[in-house]
Amino acid sequence: RLLVVDEPHRGLFTKFIDLHPEILVIGFTATPIAASKKKPLKDIYHEIVCGPQINDLIAEGSLTMNITHRVKDSIDRKALRTKNGEYDQEQAGKILSSAKHVNNTVDAYRKFCLGKKTIIFNSNVEHSKIVTQAFIDAGYTAMHLDGYMSKPAYESAMHWFENTPDAI
């Protein structure tokens, strides 16, 4: 038997793994640090294999350096709750969906990315839809994309993004 775990650092399958020591477990993550200090990954997996580093992939031409912009002092990170070492998406989505934060996103686009193909990562699906609508309302070419879309809708959105010079 084989169990493949995505994002094992989140520790979502540790109870199951503990109950079934006979199963071969493989975990895939770009974050090989466990969310819990009480249960480090070395206690769950026999070996941790690290793939190529981001700088190596950039040097060989497989990746490009990312360009990230944010609005300074716009979010009080201390107000955000965490679950399993990551921000609570529902709570973060509610906070980030406020008019202030959505308008900050549109303003940041105008300041840093105007007319350029842009990807905006949002907290959750509802937040993404709100941000997309704000861009459309402001007269920009924007489309929402998420992992719950049907395959044809997803493929259509990807085709649109690829072929639209100022796509957001």
Side-chain angles (χ1 to χ4, degrees):
R1 293 186 185 174
L2 172 68
L3 172 64
V4 178
V5 179
D6 186 28
E7 305 293 347
H9 64 278
R10 297 180 70 195
L12 301 176
F13 293 93
T14 55
K15 288 181 184 177
F16 180 84
I17 293 168
D18 289 345
L19 291 171
H20 298 280
E22 76 283 2
I23 295 177
L24 175 62
V25 182
I26 298 175
F28 290 94
T29 182
T31 315
I33 299 171
S36 168
K37 290 182 181 180
K38 294 178 184 176
K39 191 80 170 176
L41 293 180
K42 70 178 181 65
D43 290 354
I44 302 169
Y45 299 93
H46 292 99
E47 293 191 37
I48 295 176
V49 179
C50 295
Q53 297 298 303
I54 290 173
N55 288 340
D56 296 334
L57 293 170
I58 291 170
E60 74 178 29
S62 296
L63 286 178
T64 59
M65 181 63 74
N66 70 314
I67 300 170
T68 303
H69 300 286
R70 70 176 182 90
V71 179
K72 292 184 180 182
D73 303 322
S74 64
I75 300 168
D76 178 9
R77 292 177 188 261
K78 293 176 185 173
L80 296 173
R81 292 188 305 259
T82 58
K83 287 183 180 179
N84 296 320
E86 300 198 16
Y87 289 117
D88 178 331
Q89 289 183 7
E90 185 177 342
Q91 185 222 15
K94 287 179 183 174
I95 292 170
L96 295 171
S97 292
S98 71
K100 170 190 169 184
H101 294 302
V102 173
N103 291 334
N104 279 346
T105 303
V106 175
D107 290 343
Y109 170 80
R110 284 187 190 113
K111 182 176 179 182
F112 300 111
C113 305
L114 187 63
K116 297 178 185 174
K117 194 175 297 244
T118 304
I119 298 175
I120 300 170
F121 292 93
N122 296 291
S123 181
N124 57 32
V125 172
E126 187 59 33
H127 177 229
S128 177
K129 290 178 179 178
I130 290 167
V131 169
T132 301
Q133 191 60 53
F135 275 93
I136 292 168
D137 292 347
Y140 297 110
T141 307
M143 183 178 282
H144 164 81
L145 174 69
D146 69 57
Y148 299 104
M149 296 170 78
S150 68
K151 186 174 180 180
Y154 178 86
E155 288 173 352
S156 175
M158 293 302 291
H159 178 77
W160 172 85
F161 186 79
E162 191 175 309
N163 294 290
T164 305
D166 60 348
I168 301 169

